Amino acid sequence: MDDFNIVSTLIGLIGGLGLFLYGMNLMGDGLENAAGDKLKNILEKVTSNPISAVIVGALVTMVIQSSSATTVMVVGFVNAGLMNLFQATGIIMGANIGTTITAQLVAFDLDQIAPIAVGIGAALVLFSKNKKTKDIASIILGFGILFLGMGYMGDAMKPISQTPQFTNLILAIGDNKFLGIIAGLGLTAIVQSSSATTGILIALASTGSIGINVALPIIFGCNIGTCVTALISSVGTSKTAHKAAFIHLAFNVFGTLIFIPFMGAIGNIVQNISPGDVSRQVANAHTIFNVSNTLIMIPFIKYLILIVNKIVPGEDVVEKAGPKYLDDRLLETPIIASGQVMKETVRMATKAKENLMLSIEAFNTDDEALAKKVYSNEKLINILEESITSYLVKLSQTDISAKENEILQSTYYVVNDIERIGDHAENIADLTLEKINRGLTHSKEAEGELKNIFSYTLNALELAIDAYEHRDAKMAEGVYPLEEKVDQLQREYREAHIKRLNEGKCSAYTGTLYIDTLSNLERISDHAVNIAESVLNRK
């Protein structure tokens, strides 16, 4: 084979692989967006029951079409403290089952209908204005591009299979299983996708170049190679996240070691199931290995964790002040990342609400320690505002559904409103310290009025936060009458204050603190309405 043929063959192989990976990614994005909240709900239900965790891992991977992406997402969840190692291990095992769907899909000989799928998908993407239709179009287009890539790879490998060098390599792998495992490991580590390696094997099998005896050790190796993505993603994370990545590696290494003696038996089984169809044999062997490995290893999850605890000793120290739910690894799965933004925003809002309660209690009880705690919490609120806003910018650059994008756009404003609520709580803390330093006191009547208006303000804020968290329009509507009551009370109490001032019942300076406190509470209720309006799409 001359140099020109070598170059053109490599171009065909690289181009085919690129189309395969792009098609798989496009199809995964379309499935993910079409699944929407269902995918978030699936992950929310992860428990310490290993069977349910395995099922969740398999389902999520079927949707996003990448076990590597699922595992990276799990590392992000563990790093954020949202998932323990036991749960993470179950999901990682399930991801290995979910990825077999891709192999089963590409084993079908659908090269002939791939152009039709591309044509239909492209037309829908170009001419449809409906986001849901575009998501379905992405699935169809990705499906077509994936099989076009498979066709290109198959065509490119036909001349390769006729060279003596390739024949010698196949003979060497056939005689040495460990060489095949190393080849699969290396190739998957380079392309960062076990599905891509399996796709290449199926393309080779479709040309009649290899048999199942050669493909099997490469399949075993690609399961180890896919761990590289998670190991890389765990760099700079917590020790627990490191452990999750190493559990993925340990699971696949032990599984490979267990099944090496049974390669011949697996080969015989798949040959009997699909005689003469090596492509289908490769897909079936991939499925049998991953499903059997998971079923065998489930009872030994706690021992896997014990082994990894020896490899990565120690526990994480105190959690740093900052976002709890946000992790850049989750941006690979935008629908999940958007759910995490909601959680972090609710956490920020809850912290602002706590600060409001602390500031009023400090004001009423002249407690300097409580007032200073407000300042400490305000620092966290400011950090969260910056972190959430930055994360929203990154998330807006991903492919998210129209519904999620609408929620995220409104969240920019919600985060700003929450930060302003924190500022008003801090203002009340400032007034508290001024009141304490000057030894000022309010009349019983004024104290009662402040407690009353605070009660309505707090109720409005709590209802607004609940409405935002649950996207509940009815709750959001309930904020308006509370805010109107706060406005009414502020007017009444200002007039009552002026009357007390004229009667000499309070000093001008004490009255100033009182009026400023009323104003801050009234402004907080306004921001609560703004948060409610984000749910009602009135902003």
Side-chain angles (χ1 to χ4, degrees):
M1 188 162 60
D2 58 35
D3 287 343
F4 176 79
N5 284 336
I6 292 172
V7 171
S8 62
T9 298
L10 283 174
I11 288 172
L13 180 58
I14 292 168
L17 180 60
L19 284 172
F20 177 88
L21 289 170
Y22 177 69
M24 190 171 67
N25 185 63
L26 190 62
M27 190 165 65
D29 287 346
L31 284 164
E32 182 188 323
N33 285 333
D37 289 336
K38 291 176 185 173
L39 186 61
K40 286 193 286 187
N41 293 337
I42 288 170
L43 276 166
E44 289 287 338
K45 290 173 183 173
V46 176
T47 67
S48 293
N49 181 324
I51 303 297
S52 68
V54 167
I55 292 170
V56 165
L59 288 173
V60 170
T61 306
M62 286 178 197
V63 172
I64 65 177
Q65 289 288 293
S66 172
S67 61
S68 297
T70 301
T71 308
V72 167
M73 188 165 62
V74 167
V75 169
F77 277 133
V78 171
N79 187 54
L82 305 175
M83 192 179 284
N84 60 42
L85 282 178
F86 201 87
Q87 294 168 317
T89 305
I91 291 179
I92 288 166
M93 289 180 173
N96 275 30
I97 294 176
T99 196
T100 63
I101 299 300
T102 309
Q104 290 291 343
L105 180 67
V106 299
F108 289 104
D109 185 14
L110 300 176
D111 291 1
Q112 302 302 316
I113 68 166
I116 299 172
V118 171
I120 293 171
L124 288 172
V125 167
L126 290 171
F127 301 113
S128 173
K129 302 201 182 293
N130 184 285
K131 178 66 178 173
K132 203 74 176 174
T133 306
K134 282 183 179 286
D135 291 336
I136 294 168
S138 293
I139 298 169
I140 298 169
L141 182 59
F143 176 86
I145 291 173
L146 183 150
F147 279 101
L148 280 181
M150 284 294 296
Y152 276 116
M153 284 196 288
D155 291 342
M157 284 170 180
K158 282 176 184 173
I160 293 177
S161 65
Q162 296 166 4
T163 64
Q165 294 92 336
F166 181 81
T167 304
N168 293 334
L169 177 64
I170 293 304
L171 288 172
I173 292 174
D175 293 335
N176 189 333
K177 296 180 178 67
F178 291 100
L179 183 61
I181 291 171
I182 292 168
L185 191 161
L187 182 57
T188 305
I190 291 168
V191 299
Q192 297 276 292
S193 171
S194 61
S195 294
T197 307
T198 310
I200 292 170
L201 284 176
I202 291 172
L204 268 172
S206 69
T207 67
S209 308
I210 62 169
I212 192 63
N213 64 317
V214 174
L216 258 176
I218 297 175
I219 289 170
F220 282 27
C222 79
N223 265 42
I224 299 174
T226 196
C227 300
V228 171
T229 310
L231 289 169
I232 292 171
S233 81
S234 70
V235 174
T237 59
S238 65
K239 283 187 179 179
T240 313
H242 277 301
K243 289 175 183 179
F246 274 102
I247 281 172
H248 186 217
L249 177 64
F251 167 62
N252 284 303
V253 168
F254 287 139
T256 299
L257 293 174
I258 290 168
F259 278 89
I260 284 174
F262 302 102
M263 275 194 194
I266 294 173
N268 291 333
I269 291 169
V270 296
Q271 281 175 326
N272 289 330
I273 294 171
S274 306
D277 187 350
V278 183
S279 295
R280 180 57 58 193
Q281 289 170 17
V282 170
N284 289 342
H286 186 249
T287 300
I288 289 170
F289 169 60
N290 281 292
V291 172
S292 301
N293 185 27
T294 299
L295 292 175
I296 290 168
M297 298 292 279
I298 282 175
F300 301 101
I301 287 178
K302 63 179 180 181
Y303 298 107
L304 270 177
I305 293 172
L306 284 173
I307 291 167
V308 170
N309 278 332
K310 294 288 184 185
I311 298 170
V312 186
E315 298 296 330
D316 294 308
V317 196
V318 185
E319 182 187 6
K320 64 177 182 178
K324 178 180 178 182
Y325 298 103
L326 306 183
D327 193 300
D328 283 355
R329 294 163 193 79
L330 304 180
L331 292 168
E332 292 292 325
T333 318
I335 193 72
I336 303 299
S338 65
Q340 298 305 102
V341 168
M342 296 279 286
K343 288 181 181 178
E344 198 68 69
T345 305
V346 170
R347 177 179 172 232
M348 179 185 173
T350 303
K351 186 60 66 176
K353 182 190 78 174
E354 288 172 7
N355 247 18
L356 169 62
M357 295 166 71
L358 283 172
S359 64
I360 285 294
E361 188 179 349
F363 190 88
N364 290 334
T365 60
D366 291 338
D367 191 323
E368 190 171 342
L370 285 180
K372 288 182 177 177
K373 191 173 179 182
V374 171
Y375 296 131
S376 175
N377 286 343
E378 176 61 14
K379 289 178 183 176
L380 174 59
I381 292 169
N382 290 336
I383 291 170
L384 290 178
E385 182 205 17
E386 185 178 343
S387 301
I388 294 170
T389 303
S390 174
Y391 199 79
L392 282 168
V393 171
K394 295 175 187 174
L395 189 51
S396 67
Q397 295 164 359
T398 64
D399 183 23
I400 54 176
S401 67
K403 179 185 174 185
E404 293 296 327
N405 186 57
E406 190 177 283
I407 293 171
L408 293 178
Q409 290 300 319
S410 67
T411 298
Y412 279 108
Y413 299 105
V414 170
V415 169
N416 183 62
D417 281 307
I418 295 168
E419 194 276 333
R420 293 297 298 134
I421 289 168
D423 288 345
H424 288 299
E426 188 178 31
N427 290 345
I428 295 172
D430 290 340
L431 295 170
T432 298
L433 292 180
E434 196 169 346
K435 178 186 170 196
I436 294 169
N437 292 335
R438 291 177 176 269
L440 302 172
T441 58
H442 286 98
S443 65
K444 293 292 181 185
E445 190 177 0
E447 288 178 359
E449 290 168 353
L450 286 175
K451 286 178 182 176
N452 192 36
I453 194 172
F454 165 70
S455 175
Y456 282 101
T457 303
L458 182 62
N459 286 342
L461 181 56
E462 286 177 334
L463 197 58
I465 295 170
D466 286 343
Y468 173 80
E469 181 177 8
H470 303 291
R471 310 308 298 171
D472 190 315
K474 189 175 180 182
M475 283 185 181
E477 291 284 1
V479 176
Y480 288 93
L482 291 171
E483 190 269 342
E484 287 169 5
K485 182 67 175 179
V486 171
D487 288 347
Q488 176 198 331
L489 290 176
Q490 188 206 26
R491 289 191 296 270
E492 288 180 8
Y493 293 164
R494 277 177 177 272
E495 291 174 5
H497 161 68
I498 292 169
K499 185 178 178 183
R500 285 194 298 271
L501 194 62
N502 291 334
E503 293 173 354
K505 291 182 179 178
C506 64
S507 68
Y509 202 85
T510 303
T512 301
L513 294 183
Y514 172 83
I515 292 295
D516 286 348
T517 306
L518 281 181
S519 296
N520 279 290
L521 290 173
E522 190 274 332
R523 291 297 298 134
I524 288 171
S525 72
D526 289 343
H527 289 296
V529 164
N530 291 344
I531 295 171
E533 285 179 343
S534 74
V535 179
L536 300 168
N537 297 318
R538 292 181 183 172
K539 290 198 74 166

